[in-house]
Amino acid sequence: MRALGRRDSNALAQTAGELGQLIEAALQRREQGQETTACDMAAHSLAFAAVSAAEGLANQGEGRRILLQDAVSAAADFRQDMRTCEKLIRRNTGSHTSVEKALRAL
């Protein structure tokens, strides 16, 4: 959220990189025949939102609009994935609309 507020594409890319480790672990589990969870999908959605936002900030015009629109869609997916994840872990971790709101503010 802070990176979005500061329009810091480097911090957004770093966040996506950190989430990439979680995504890699989920892919390895899937390749081994295990299931991926909604929590894994939430990490993927958030990483996609971060990458799209970082690229959107680095572009201008139509390209920027499309990339930021992709980021908003991924943030909506993140919110839904987190709702499902919270049911899975039987714990409410809070509101997950702040990513969408920050992207809309851009």
Side-chain angles (χ1 to χ4, degrees), residues 55-75:
E55 291 177 5
L57 292 172
N59 283 282
Q60 298 295 320
E62 183 67 10
R64 178 185 179 109
R65 187 188 66 76
I66 291 170
L67 287 163
L68 291 178
Q69 195 171 37
D70 286 348
V72 169
S73 293

Side-chain angles (χ1 to χ4, degrees), residues 4 8-9 12-13 15-16 44-60 62-75 77 99 103 106:
L4 285 171
D8 186 346
S9 60
L12 288 167
T15 297
H44 182 271
S45 298
L46 186 58
F48 188 81
V51 168
S52 296
E55 291 177 5
L57 292 172
N59 283 282
Q60 298 295 320
E62 183 67 10
R64 178 185 179 109
R65 187 188 66 76
I66 291 170
L67 287 163
L68 291 178
Q69 195 171 37
D70 286 348
V72 169
S73 293
D77 291 343
V99 176
L103 286 166
L106 291 177

Side-chain angles (χ1 to χ4, degrees), residues 1 75 78-80 82-83 86 91-101:
M1 287 305 308
F78 167 70
R79 180 176 34 87
Q80 183 60 40
M82 280 305 300
R83 281 190 198 146
E86 289 172 336
R91 188 175 59 170
N92 186 351
T93 60
S95 175
H96 304 289
T97 60
S98 56
V99 176
E100 290 174 275
K101 290 176 183 175

Side-chain angles (χ1 to χ4, degrees), residues 4-25:
L4 285 171
R6 291 188 317 255
R7 298 178 181 215
D8 186 346
S9 60
N10 290 332
L12 288 167
Q14 180 181 355
T15 297
E18 291 168 0
L19 290 168
Q21 296 172 8
L22 297 174
I23 296 165
E24 276 294 317

